[in-house]
Amino acid sequence: MSLRFGILGPPVIWQHDQEIRLTTRRSRAVLAHLILSPSFSASVDRLIDVIYGDAPGKSARNQVHRGVGELRRHGVTIEVHDNVYTLDADEETIDAFVFARLCDRGRAAARAGDHAEGARTLRAALALWRAPALAGLDSTASLTAASAWNERRLSAMEERIDADLALGRHRELIAELRDLTDAHPMRERFYAQLMLALYRAQRGSEALAVFAGLERLLRDELGTDPDPELRKLQLRVLRQDPGLGRQRLSGVNGPRHDEPAARPPAVPRQLPPRPGALVGRDGELAEAVSALRGGVGLLVMAGPGGIGKTALALEAAHRVAGDFPDGQLYADGSGDPGETLKGFLSALGVREIPDGVTARSVALRSALAVRRVLIVLDGAADPGMVLPFRPGSAGSAVVVTSRSALALLRDAHRVTVPALTGADARRLLAATVGEERLAAEREAADRIVELCAGLPVALTIAAAKLAARPHWPLKHLADRLADPSAILDTLRHDGQSVRPTLRHGYAALSPRLRALARAIGCYGVPEISSSVAAALAGLPVDTADNLLAELAEAHFLVPEGPAEDGGFRYRCPELLLAFTAERAAAEDAEPVRRAAVERALGTWLTLADAAHALLRGRDHAIPRGTAPRHPAGGAEPGLTWLADHLDELMTGVRRAAATGLAETCWELAIAPLALLETGPHFARWLESHQLALDCVRQAGNIRGEAALLYSLGQRALLVGDYVSAGDHADRALELFGKLDDRHGKGLALRLRGDLHQLHEDLAMARDAYEEAASLLRESGDPVAEADALGGLAMVFHRTGEQEEAQVCLGRALELCSEGGSLRSEAQIRRGLAKHAVRTGTLEKANLEFEHALDIARHLDDRVMQSQILLDLGTTRILLGDPEAAQQTLACAEEMALSSGLGRVVARTRTARAFLAAAPASPPPSS
């Protein structure tokens, strides 16, 4: 279906020149704002914002969806991906873009002296208008967009009238110009054109009357006078200047061009060729072109290396070249300003070129004073590289590309060139690789886009490599890019490489920033906080925070938001991370790199220690090593810190293993033990510990191996793998014994006691618990001692020694209070509740279970919750409340299933089956 779209008037659709009537405001608004959005794409929230403004109704989202649906029913193709709508349209099918292109051609023809072609083309452009732009839409965004397009229409009218005046059509223009001055009483250029047309028609007195009327109007309405150039025109009419019969207007109608023309002998045309089709840059390109045509004298295009700033600047420059008839100059902005100025002056026909940057800058301003010239400086590093080239008067413009926003150039118009969005990056790949090949491996394509960091230079190389190797699956390339040691070599093809681009940006950094960038590279973790950066560089946190901000300004980092330490979080894309790691390996000695990583991981140990202390009370119930800790700034972990940062701790284990930091590696692995015991993190528990075990065994770190085996034994016990739990506990006990590590031996014996009890070997369990309690008391660990006493109490329960059990539980509760461990307190209260069940005080048991359950919920300990719910369910059977018992047991089973606790699931199902078969009889106690 051949469709065309219009916004130069009410939004409309044509099919084969037949108008399709859009009956609702919402469909017209959706169509208009999709057309006006970059790449014809806009999210639902963006459409709501531009259509309804600050006060959208409750049905605004639904209205947008319905508007899209209406357009689709008329045959309009609108795709949706990730909640973003994209209109499938070409600029050639939209009247506004056809108008803009015709205007460019008309202007260029007129400035080249072909006024007939200029007038004809501009008249064709204006014929596309049916009414004011976006007529019928009244949102703030609609009115703003309409105002910009209506201004372009008036400018095109002025330029078309200029061309007609140059062709001698002054008599035909008088009536039209009178209508235009009536319709636009503050637009002085129409008055100037009317005065010139009247003068050339031998109606000079009327021309003077037009000026007098405008003068009165401006003074009465605004308290101002007409433009000085317009007053000059009045004086020339008064003097009957013969030059008015053969000359275009100056000032209000553009620069003066007397006959013969006073231009330099040659007009420089130094712009490199157009870059070809740009992908995903419609919004930035439109902004740049609009700014240059709107009279902006300095335009800065800022973005990281490889982002496509040069291509964007050249395309914008070519589009507005007709607005700068006296030439276009181009130079590498990183070159010697003095030599660049010399070249520019020579190109402009200046014969005597002075020495020195300052003198040449003055000469350039003089040469540009009566010209309209566009200067493009590609890759300026700082404001000092730009200032010598700035014109001293209006008419000419400078376009600068830079990695920096050049914020000190306060009056510059800035266009930020961001990384390509996922959709645009896929379009760039598809242009070379083919849409079908991308669609066949969508996940791999998305991974390639992510690893190329949205940089067109990287994506272009990746696409070229895939096109040259059609036998390569996309996944093969994605896997190579995912390897930090291979990504830079992979992004190299046919003489193109990302390395020069990245090296150029790196070289522009100060020595301190380069040192921090290298430290981040050898750390190898994309997420960076101020505390970690401070540790990496050995700097105060405030200093590191400022350096991170500077790296972000240089586009080596991406800001992610506030951090817990009071600074900010940043992310380093994998591509840049690999490059800075390569620089670190080349420039920094291995001990320096190792020490930086050790300090950074030390901040995570400091934070994990603090989080563990909140849950278990200082360094209780966990083996500790001698890995160095590093201050962590102002971060204050809360109860959920370990859960919130488990991924970062697992990453730390991998980095420590890769760097050979065995002591740090095993300590980071067991650091979240207070969380791991609560479930459901059993898979990551095993993964991190196996990695750490390989590391400590390779380093011969026996204590680290013992600690990890103890922790793995605890995990195996919870998941019901009693054989592995026994093997790990025995090996840990043996290693701790060899080291004469009494605390570690006490922890391993407590675990051994749990296993003996499960196997009904109560005598062995009692011995293990008693020895464990003694060793842990001697080691000053009241919480682990309480755990051992709690286990011992369970043995006494089962041997019928209830008084001894009560004494153990009472002492254990005191130790929990002393050690500050809420988790151990919940376990002991669970033991007190079980004791109450055995002694027949069921109401007391119910209260203790509820108290323990409240603590477990507070800690979000799913392992303990499922165990307590199981006990509470069986207790409610004994209390004669089978309905409550069934509900409680169902909750216990669901939670145990989600946490991977096979033993608890089995016991819960047994209790529920018993309850269903004999609701009046309690199940056997366990």
Side-chain angles (χ1 to χ4, degrees), residues 110-133:
R111 295 192 186 284
D114 190 349
H115 300 295
E117 175 63 17
R120 185 192 66 77
T121 306
L122 288 165
R123 191 171 282 108
L126 290 163
L128 296 171
W129 287 76
R130 297 166 283 114

Side-chain angles (χ1 to χ4, degrees), residues 284-293 295-302 312-313 316-317 320 374-377 386 390 396-402 405-406 409 411-416:
E284 292 83 5
L285 181 60
E287 182 182 353
V289 170
S290 176
L292 291 169
R293 286 181 174 156
V296 165
L298 176 59
L299 176 68
V300 175
M301 293 185 170
L312 183 58
V320 301
L374 180 66
I375 298 173
V376 178
L377 296 174
V386 178
R390 298 200 61 177
S396 295
V398 181
V399 176
V400 180
T401 68
S402 179
L406 303 179
L409 299 173
D411 56 345
H413 182 95
R414 289 173 179 79
V415 175
T416 300

Side-chain angles (χ1 to χ4, degrees), residues 104-119 163 166 248 257 259 261 263 267 269 321-326:
D104 288 343
R105 283 168 42 193
R107 290 188 192 99
R111 295 192 186 284
D114 190 349
H115 300 295
E117 175 63 17
R248 292 178 62 193
H257 299 283
E259 298 293 345
R263 292 185 178 182
V267 176
R269 306 289 185 192
D323 294 88
F324 299 91
D326 298 315

Side-chain angles (χ1 to χ4, degrees), residues 799-920:
T799 57
E801 300 170 83
Q802 301 305 332
E803 274 190 40
E804 288 81 351
Q806 183 67 40
V807 170
C808 281
L809 291 171
R811 176 57 183 154
L813 201 58
E814 291 174 3
L815 290 169
C816 289
S817 178
E818 176 187 333
S821 173
L822 285 173
R823 187 174 192 276
S824 291
E825 180 182 343
Q827 287 284 30
I828 299 306
R829 291 197 178 278
R830 178 186 172 214
L832 286 168
K834 285 189 168 187
H835 178 76
V837 170
R838 291 179 180 276
T839 56
T841 52
L842 298 180
E843 292 293 342
K844 181 180 178 182
N846 191 66
L847 289 174
E848 286 289 0
F849 279 134
E850 291 283 5
H851 193 165
L853 188 59
D854 286 343
I855 296 174
R857 284 172 174 158
H858 173 70
L859 299 174
D860 195 27
D861 188 329
R862 299 177 67 84
V863 169
M864 194 181 305
Q865 285 182 67
S866 62
Q867 293 171 338
I868 295 170
L869 285 168
L870 169 60
D871 295 335
L872 186 58
T874 56
T875 301
R876 285 173 173 169
I877 296 174
L878 296 173
L879 286 169
D881 191 348
E883 184 176 347
Q886 190 66 266
Q887 291 176 349
T888 305
L889 290 169
C891 289
E893 182 179 342
E894 179 182 355
M895 189 164 290
L897 274 170
S898 66
S899 301
L901 302 170
R903 177 170 172 269
V904 177
V905 171
R907 291 180 58 207
T908 306
R909 287 176 176 171
T910 299
R912 293 184 70 187
F914 190 94
L915 181 62

Side-chain angles (χ1 to χ4, degrees), residues 166-224:
L167 292 168
R169 296 171 180 165
H170 38 269
R171 295 184 185 278
E172 299 97 311
L173 292 170
I174 291 172
E176 179 185 4
L177 283 165
R178 287 199 185 278
D179 289 340
L180 287 170
T181 54
D182 288 342
H184 307 282
M186 299 297 174
R187 201 167 186 95
E188 297 182 45
R189 189 169 178 181
F190 286 143
Y191 287 91
Q193 291 171 323
L194 177 56
M195 289 172 66
L196 186 60
L198 287 167
Y199 179 80
R200 289 179 178 177
Q202 283 81 51
R203 296 160 66 175
S205 59
E206 290 182 58
L208 294 172
V210 167
F211 179 84
L214 174 62
E215 188 175 41
R216 285 193 303 272
L217 176 66
L218 292 176
R219 287 177 178 175
D220 292 344
E221 295 292 331
L222 302 177
T224 62

Side-chain angles (χ1 to χ4, degrees), residues 315-486:
E315 179 61 28
H318 277 284
R319 291 201 181 191
V320 301
D323 294 88
F324 299 91
D326 298 315
Q328 302 88 44
L329 301 167
Y330 176 87
D332 181 349
S334 63
D336 178 8
E339 289 302 308
T340 302
L341 285 165
K342 181 179 179 180
F344 283 177
L345 290 168
S346 177
L348 291 169
V350 178
R351 294 183 179 180
E352 295 185 8
I353 299 174
D355 293 330
V357 171
T358 301
R360 289 175 180 177
S361 179
V362 171
L364 180 65
R365 289 198 295 273
S366 299
L368 297 179
V370 292
R371 295 177 175 91
R372 287 177 62 84
V373 174
L374 180 66
I375 298 173
V376 178
L377 296 174
D378 188 21
D382 57 64
M385 307 294 285
V386 178
L387 291 173
F389 300 92
R390 298 200 61 177
S393 56
S396 295
V398 181
V399 176
V400 180
T401 68
S402 179
R403 295 168 187 261
S404 165
L406 303 179
L408 291 178
L409 299 173
R410 294 184 180 176
D411 56 345
H413 182 95
R414 289 173 179 79
V415 175
T416 300
V417 187
L420 290 176
T421 65
D424 288 333
R426 283 190 291 273
R427 283 174 55 204
L428 194 154
L429 283 177
T432 302
V433 177
E435 187 61 52
E436 291 184 3
R437 193 171 172 191
L438 259 64
E441 293 186 77
R442 187 169 297 277
E443 186 175 338
D446 289 345
R447 184 65 175 140
I448 291 170
V449 165
E450 178 187 355
L451 290 165
C452 287
L455 294 178
V457 64
L459 290 161
T460 300
I461 294 171
K465 183 161 280 191
L466 286 171
R469 303 173 187 185
H471 60 287
W472 269 23
L474 266 66
K475 184 179 183 303
H476 180 69
L477 177 62
D479 290 342
R480 288 174 66 91
L481 292 174
D483 181 355
S485 65

